[in-house]
Amino acid sequence: MKRWFLRLALVVFALIWLLFACFPLLALILAANDEIMIGPEQRSHFRLFMVSSDEHRGVGIEWSRRMSAHSDCYLSNVNFLLWEGDVAGQNVEFCRCLDQETGLPEPLPMCGSSLLPDS
């Protein structure tokens, strides 16, 4: 039993070390491209982007996921990790639905309580 625990601990340690070892590469890619996106922009996606304005500097994280009640509606959360400027009131959550005819996103003013994201 001790042998399996030791192997599991070693695998967990190796995964954590690999995560920390990849951080400089992630930072270089983000600095060169200003964003890293996983998934298509119009659908469910995860996006990490640089924030650089006169008043704010930092990193933004956007996560968009499909709503369970409507197959072509998406709930998006945008959070900011700023090292310059005030983060108060900057984080936002919004909904958008894709138009059936054009396929372009249409922003919605409020997300209804019946519209819950898929897990």
Side-chain angles (χ1 to χ4, degrees):
M1 187 78 172
K2 281 186 174 183
R3 182 176 289 178
W4 287 105
F5 179 74
L6 183 60
R7 288 181 183 174
L8 179 64
L10 188 59
V11 167
V12 169
F13 175 76
L15 289 174
I16 292 172
W17 178 83
L18 186 61
L19 180 69
F20 281 114
C22 289
F23 181 76
L25 180 62
L26 177 71
L28 282 173
I29 292 171
L30 186 60
N33 297 333
D34 286 336
E35 77 173 6
I36 298 172
M37 181 179 286
I38 301 170
E41 186 174 357
Q42 300 297 334
R43 307 273 182 214
S44 296
H45 65 271
F46 177 80
R47 183 171 79 112
L48 187 65
F49 58 95
M50 296 293 295
V51 176
S52 57
S53 68
D54 293 338
E55 296 127 10
H56 299 95
R57 296 209 186 278
V59 175
I61 302 167
E62 178 182 357
W63 181 34
S64 181
R65 56 208 180 277
R66 184 183 301 258
M67 309 284 276
S68 60
H70 302 283
S71 62
D72 33 328
C73 291
Y74 297 86
L75 175 66
S76 297
N77 292 0
V78 181
N79 297 309
F80 296 95
L81 304 169
L82 301 177
W83 49 81
E84 242 180 68
D86 189 18
V87 75
Q90 300 292 330
N91 298 336
V92 67
E93 178 180 275
F94 60 93
C95 295
R96 61 183 169 76
C97 291
L98 298 178
D99 187 351
Q100 294 291 334
E101 296 175 9
T102 63
L104 298 174
E106 297 176 344
L108 298 175
M110 294 275 299
C111 297
S113 60
S114 64
L115 301 176
L116 297 173
D118 285 341
S119 297

